[in-house]
Amino acid sequence: MNYTLHQLQIFLKIAELQSITKASEELYLTQPAVSIQLKNFQDQFPIPLTEVIGRKLYITEFGKEIAQAAEKIITEVYAINYKTLSYQGQLSGRLKISIVSTGKYVMPYFLSGFTKENPGVELNIDVTNKARVIESLEQNEVDFALVSVLPEKLKVNYVELMQNRLLYVANNENIRKNNKRDLFEKNPLIYREQGSATRNAMESFIFKNKFSVQKKIELTSNEAVKQAVISGLGCSIMPLIGIKNELKNNDLRIIPIKGLPIITTWNLVWLQSKKLSPAATAYLEFIDAKKKDIIKTQFSWINNY
């Protein structure tokens, strides 16, 4: 057998996602490249690792055992790399963070300085929906999670990063506006998917004001909602953090409404029972020392709205 570490990494990702397409996206490889590596890897075994039923790919029992072995091998390789860096006096290890989709406008700014100071730390960020973020935290799959609403059923520690402001936004064409109620009842409203913290805040505001929404559109990402509003498909309540350029370019405008903005807080959370790695501990120290400077340097524009 002559399989490579690269092939092990690709097969492990395929086994995790049970999809060549999804694996290629996460690995930033083309689908044909992933398919070729999978074939080359499978050809080295007399027993199938995968099988296709209909159009869906499944991992065989033997394939699952190989995936488990691959994970152990890759972990040991990482350990060798980390130990080498440690002997050279560098902080090393992996930092795994799961963040809700709108958190992608926030989290990179709180990480870039740390990774520049510590090039031996490997960064793994999963941008997903709130439900998956909480699940990964609960399953101890990550070191930290970034959420705007603290999980109720988990015992967590947390650090507040910065405010999250939600405002009513529309495109720059005329919208039907007679009063506050008309903005919600006479214009199509664009919602995030069920379980989204942004959607929950929006629905709470609508319920509190006893509005009767007639036209509702549901989309599954903040970017999709933003583009829909720009196109004139409807209006929405959106995080200010994600529309900086659109406001600057006059693609979107904020409609002042009494009771808005809704203000929540971005929190970096971790399980109370979590034994933090040296890299994770160093990152918390970095946040404590640099948080105010990062907010002042990168997010002072928010105070203009």
Side-chain angles (χ1 to χ4, degrees):
M1 291 187 180
N2 193 29
Y3 46 78
T4 66
L5 179 62
H6 185 52
Q7 288 174 341
L8 290 174
Q9 291 170 325
I10 287 175
F11 179 68
L12 184 59
K13 184 59 67 174
I14 291 171
E16 175 189 339
L17 300 174
Q18 294 196 38
S19 167
I20 292 175
T21 301
K22 292 179 180 178
S24 66
E25 291 173 353
E26 289 212 7
L27 294 169
Y28 300 100
L29 297 170
T30 65
Q31 187 171 329
V34 171
S35 297
I36 290 171
Q37 290 298 325
L38 174 61
K39 182 180 184 303
N40 292 341
F41 184 63
Q42 289 193 116
D43 287 347
Q44 299 181 65
F45 298 92
I47 304 172
L49 304 179
T50 64
E51 57 185 354
V52 177
I53 301 176
R55 293 188 175 183
K56 185 170 176 58
L57 182 141
Y58 294 89
I59 309 300
T60 65
E61 288 302 317
F62 179 66
K64 291 177 183 178
E65 292 187 17
I66 296 300
Q68 291 175 357
E71 185 173 17
K72 291 179 182 177
I73 292 169
I74 292 169
T75 299
E76 288 300 318
V77 170
Y78 282 134
I80 291 171
N81 294 337
Y82 300 153
K83 287 176 183 177
T84 302
L85 291 170
S86 179
Y87 272 98
Q88 294 174 330
Q90 295 185 40
L91 179 67
S92 61
R94 272 190 290 181
L95 195 61
K96 299 182 71 175
I97 304 175
S98 184
I99 66 177
V100 293
S101 59
T102 49
K104 64 179 177 286
Y105 304 110
V106 176
M107 202 66 214
Y109 295 100
F110 288 92
L111 286 165
S112 61
F114 179 76
T115 56
K116 289 174 182 176
E117 290 179 7
N118 302 283
V121 175
E122 179 187 342
L123 187 61
N124 185 307
I125 303 177
D126 182 30
V127 181
T128 184
N129 58 44
K130 179 188 173 186
R132 176 59 188 142
V133 168
I134 300 303
E135 180 184 353
S136 63
L137 189 66
E138 185 176 15
Q139 298 297 322
N140 197 30
E141 297 172 356
V142 296
D143 297 298
F144 301 108
L146 181 70
V147 295
S148 58
V149 179
L150 294 173
E152 296 179 356
K153 298 181 180 180
L154 296 179
K155 294 181 179 179
V156 298
N157 293 322
Y158 66 95
V159 172
E160 293 184 355
L161 292 188
M162 58 178 287
Q163 279 189 354
N164 179 36
R165 301 184 187 182
L166 305 173
L167 300 109
Y168 188 100
V169 296
N171 71 358
N172 260 326
E173 297 178 0
N174 292 327
I175 63 171
R176 288 184 290 178
K177 178 188 175 183
N178 295 318
N179 52 48
K180 178 179 176 181
R181 182 172 296 277
D182 286 348
L183 286 171
F184 287 88
E185 297 188 351
K186 293 187 177 181
N187 293 291
L189 287 184
I190 303 174
Y191 287 67
R192 284 288 305 277
E193 75 282 3
Q194 289 285 352
S196 161
T198 300
R199 178 178 178 135
N200 291 342
M202 182 173 172
E203 289 183 327
S204 294
F205 182 80
I206 290 170
F207 178 79
K208 180 181 178 181
N209 287 274
K210 300 179 180 179
F211 297 142
S212 178
V213 176
Q214 303 299 320
K215 299 178 181 179
K216 182 186 298 185
I217 301 168
E218 182 177 306
L219 297 173
T220 58
S221 75
N222 194 66
E223 284 298 315
V225 172
K226 182 164 60 178
Q227 293 305 318
V229 176
I230 291 173
S231 72
L233 196 58
C235 304
S236 188
I237 290 179
M238 298 188 65
L240 175 60
I241 193 70
I243 57 174
K244 176 183 178 181
N245 291 332
E246 289 72 22
L247 291 172
K248 182 178 179 181
N249 296 332
N250 293 317
D251 294 323
L252 292 176
R253 58 179 170 140
I254 295 170
I255 309 298
I257 295 177
K258 185 179 180 180
L260 294 180
I262 300 168
I263 297 179
T264 60
T265 303
W266 289 113
N267 298 287
L268 188 70
V269 305
W270 66 98
L271 292 176
Q272 288 183 1
S273 57
K274 179 76 174 177
K275 185 177 181 181
L276 296 177
S277 67
T281 300
Y283 181 60
L284 288 178
E285 293 171 354
F286 171 85
I287 289 296
D288 183 59
K290 302 292 186 179
K291 179 177 69 171
K292 290 183 180 179
D293 289 339
I294 293 170
I295 294 172
K296 182 179 179 180
T297 302
Q298 302 296 338
F299 299 105
S300 60
W301 64 270
I302 288 174
N303 296 323
N304 297 327
Y305 298 94

